[in-house]
Amino acid sequence: MLEKPGEMSIWMHLDELRKRIFHSLIALVVGVVICIIFADFLLELLAKPIGGFENLLSIQVTENFSVYFRVTLLGGFIIALPFILVQLFLFVAPGLSKKEKRWVLTAVPFATVLFITGAAFAYLVMLPAALPFLIEFPGPNVLPKWKDYVNFVTSLIFWIGLSFETPLIMFLLAKLGIVSAKGLLKGWRFALIGIAVIAAVATPTPDPINMVILMLPLLFLYFLGVLLAALARR
């Protein structure tokens, strides 16, 4: 079947996808290299909420190496995030109108700010609230493994950072005509259930207080997304 002028074949799409993934990986590698330079500072920063390295235990030969890799990878991803989002935009751009391209491209810096805000919320609010509950829970004295602790902290930071993208995604979907503010507002009950499920999974403790601490900003972000969706349709 002959293609219309300006249309891209499936092979052209795949080649474009390969190119964008390759460029994103290069950005990720650069971000990781930058984080390697500041690795000692990042590791100390992650250990700070629990009181420093003296309150952690490393018992496996490869434990420090795996932690080092995980931390620098997450840090590299955060640094490379704006560039990765631009690559995603460039991949979908051929299917968007000029006006849609402008809105999606404008969203890139906001997406980065929202992710960093969510990561900061996890580090500054969630961890100080969750760690005392976990450590002081009745039973033997807790001396966390370095690897388990870092896996726990980085997972919390990543997923909460990702969840803070909700209002921006809702705005873009509304701008592209996929959802409406009215429909989102009508579905607030389902959104509340979804937020409760996300909070239950993401919250590191079974303590309902910590779950509520996470639910409140997520609920706020949802209604902020509804407001942005209403503005988008205008």
Side-chain angles (χ1 to χ4, degrees), residues 189-207:
R189 294 178 181 84
F190 298 102
L192 182 61
I193 295 173
I195 289 171
V197 172
I198 292 172
V201 173
T203 302
T205 74
D207 181 8

Side-chain angles (χ1 to χ4, degrees), residues 58-71:
S58 180
I59 61 176
Q60 294 179 351
V61 176
T62 59
E63 191 162 344
N64 287 353
F65 174 79
S66 61
V67 167
Y68 187 93
F69 178 77
R70 184 181 180 93
V71 170

Side-chain angles (χ1 to χ4, degrees), residues 122 125-137 152-153 156 160 196-215:
V125 178
M126 288 299 299
L127 282 175
L131 288 175
F133 176 86
L134 292 171
I135 294 173
E136 297 170 9
F137 201 80
F152 159 73
V153 171
L156 187 69
I160 293 182
V197 172
I198 292 172
V201 173
T203 302
T205 74
D207 181 8
I209 295 176
N210 286 315
M211 182 175 170
V212 171
I213 289 175
L214 180 56
M215 282 187 65

Side-chain angles (χ1 to χ4, degrees), residues 7-210:
E7 284 189 354
M8 295 176 66
S9 69
I10 183 65
W11 300 113
M12 293 172 68
H13 278 295
L14 291 174
D15 184 63
E16 181 70 11
L17 178 61
R18 180 195 59 78
K19 183 168 67 173
R20 298 306 164 196
I21 291 175
F22 178 71
H23 290 167
S24 298
L25 288 175
I26 291 177
L28 182 60
V29 169
V30 172
V32 169
V33 170
I34 293 173
C35 287
I36 289 174
I37 298 173
F38 299 98
D40 291 341
F41 169 76
L42 294 175
L43 294 173
E44 290 176 3
L45 192 67
L46 287 179
K48 189 175 179 180
I50 204 169
F53 293 131
E54 59 270 20
N55 292 324
L56 294 162
L57 188 65
S58 180
I59 61 176
Q60 294 179 351
V61 176
T62 59
E63 191 162 344
N64 287 353
F65 174 79
S66 61
V67 167
Y68 187 93
F69 178 77
R70 184 181 180 93
V71 170
T72 53
L73 184 61
L74 177 60
F77 171 78
I78 294 174
I79 292 174
L81 181 59
F83 188 82
I84 293 173
L85 292 175
V86 169
Q87 294 304 306
L88 178 61
F89 163 76
L90 291 174
F91 177 70
V92 302
L96 302 176
S97 66
K98 186 176 180 180
K99 190 174 181 180
E100 290 170 341
K101 289 178 183 178
R102 186 173 68 249
W103 281 108
V104 174
L105 187 59
T106 304
V108 170
F110 288 101
T112 306
V113 170
L114 285 172
F115 184 89
I116 293 175
T117 302
F121 175 80
Y123 181 82
L124 298 174
V125 178
M126 288 299 299
L127 282 175
L131 288 175
F133 176 86
L134 292 171
I135 294 173
E136 297 170 9
F137 201 80
N141 291 335
V142 176
L143 190 61
K145 284 180 58 183
W146 179 220
K147 182 179 179 180
D148 292 344
Y149 170 78
V150 169
N151 288 348
F152 159 73
V153 171
T154 52
S155 294
L156 187 69
I157 289 174
F158 177 79
W159 289 110
I160 293 182
L162 210 59
S163 68
F164 268 59
E165 304 286 355
T166 303
L168 183 61
I169 294 172
M170 293 168 67
F171 173 81
L172 288 177
L173 291 177
K175 202 69 187 174
L176 297 175
I178 299 174
V179 300
S180 67
K182 187 176 180 180
L184 292 170
L185 195 58
K186 282 184 177 180
W188 72 269
R189 294 178 181 84
F190 298 102
L192 182 61
I193 295 173
I195 289 171
V197 172
I198 292 172
V201 173
T203 302
T205 74
D207 181 8
I209 295 176
N210 286 315

